[in-house]
Amino acid sequence: DTGVSQDPRHKITKRGQNVTFRCDPISEHNRLYWYRQTLGQGPEFLTYFQNEAQLEKSRLLSDRFSAERPKGSFSTLEIQRTEQGDSAMYLCASSLLAGAHYNEQFFGPGTRLTVL
Amino acid sequence: KNQVEQSPQSLIILEGKNCTLQCNYTVSPFSNLRWYKQDTGRGPVSLTIMTFSENTKSNGRYTATLDADTKQSSLHITASQLSDSASYICVVIPQGTSYDKVIFGPGTSLSVIP
């Protein structure tokens, strides 16, 4: 399977714990995005990387959230001191910036986080 | 405020029937408008991408239309199949955008029943 993969698919944690999610993009894609999606809503942008550089962060990304893409391949999203409001589906997407007017994003299956 | 609204919120149709989903947006100017299909518990999958100068784009049984004057887009599904049951999300990319300004609609939940 050469699509975007995410791990774990589901995570249940207690409030106050830290969690880390991993995203493996399509191998030749240089852009990687993180989104958050709550039930009945569309995804909301969190942050994106071009290669290893984090180029943009949403105002939604509080200080408790941090994302890395150290070698320009896989990425991790960490949430510290989780709160119940963090419960959501966390989606990763990747794309290839190749001079087009737009670059199609391919999404992973998501990680569903439940904070008790 | 830039917004994307979708209607209906949910829809139930019989297998084999056609349906049309609506997307109204206030984003202007915009670079492109996309429709995604999202199966329950999965990530969205791109169906169509239209630039502001395109009026229609087809992908198999899916046809998207765009009216930039009225700021409306529609997604028409022909001869629906049970596998079409999913959420359909309209996405508008403002021109010259930074990614936190990419706007996803709330989606229309479609159920196709036998």
Side-chain angles (χ1 to χ4, degrees):
Chain A
D1 187 350
T2 57
V4 178
S5 61
Q6 292 187 243
D7 184 70
R9 294 292 309 277
H10 304 274
K11 179 71 177 178
I12 300 174
T13 190
K14 292 183 179 179
R15 189 176 53 187
Q17 298 295 304
N18 299 342
V19 294
T20 300
F21 310 141
R22 176 179 170 125
C23 171
D24 286 90
I26 294 172
S27 59
E28 65 268 25
H29 284 185
N30 51 9
R31 282 195 169 178
L32 185 149
Y33 313 79
W34 285 101
Y35 293 87
R36 181 174 69 188
Q37 185 177 26
T38 53
L39 203 60
Q41 299 297 316
E44 296 171 296
F45 169 79
L46 293 179
T47 187
Y48 93 96
F49 294 83
Q50 183 162 311
N51 300 313
E52 66 275 9
Q54 188 173 18
L55 295 188
E56 196 162 337
K57 294 195 293 185
S58 163
R59 289 158 290 178
L60 293 174
L61 214 63
S62 75
D63 292 344
R64 297 184 297 105
F65 288 70
S66 62
E68 295 183 343
R69 194 183 184 198
K71 298 181 180 178
S73 56
F74 73 92
S75 174
T76 58
L77 177 68
E78 181 183 15
I79 308 174
Q80 296 181 327
R81 305 181 303 281
T82 52
E83 302 172 356
Q84 288 183 325
D86 296 332
S87 295
M89 174 80 87
Y90 289 85
L91 293 165
C92 175
S94 70
S95 69
L96 178 64
L97 178 64
H101 293 295
Y102 48 80
N103 48 93
E104 183 175 354
Q105 297 179 19
F106 295 84
F107 284 83
T111 293
R112 179 162 295 286
L113 172 66
T114 302
V115 181
L116 302 176
Chain B
K1 178 182 177 183
N2 286 330
Q3 284 190 319
V4 176
E5 298 177 344
Q6 293 187 242
S7 63
Q9 184 176 8
S10 61
L11 181 63
I12 301 173
I13 62 172
L14 291 174
E15 185 180 10
K17 297 296 186 182
N18 303 338
C19 68
T20 300
L21 314 180
Q22 298 290 344
C23 173
N24 295 334
Y25 60 92
T26 60
V27 182
S28 183
F30 71 94
S31 170
N32 60 91
L33 185 148
R34 311 176 183 190
W35 282 93
Y36 283 88
K37 177 187 178 187
Q38 185 174 23
D39 292 317
T40 301
R42 306 300 298 272
V45 174
S46 178
L47 293 176
T48 62
I49 302 175
M50 289 185 291
T51 66
F52 63 89
S53 60
E54 294 178 294
N55 299 121
T56 186
K57 184 68 70 77
S58 290
N59 177 3
R61 294 180 298 103
Y62 302 101
T63 299
T65 63
L66 175 62
D67 186 335
D69 291 333
T70 61
K71 295 186 171 60
Q72 293 181 327
S73 176
S74 64
L75 181 70
H76 186 74
I77 304 175
T78 304
S80 60
Q81 300 176 358
L82 298 178
S83 59
D84 292 332
S85 296
S87 179
Y88 291 83
I89 302 173
C90 174
V91 182
V92 182
I93 318 296
Q95 200 168 68
T97 194
S98 58
Y99 276 91
D100 70 342
K101 295 181 176 59
V102 171
I103 304 168
F104 287 76
T108 291
S109 177
L110 174 65
S111 297
V112 180
I113 60 175

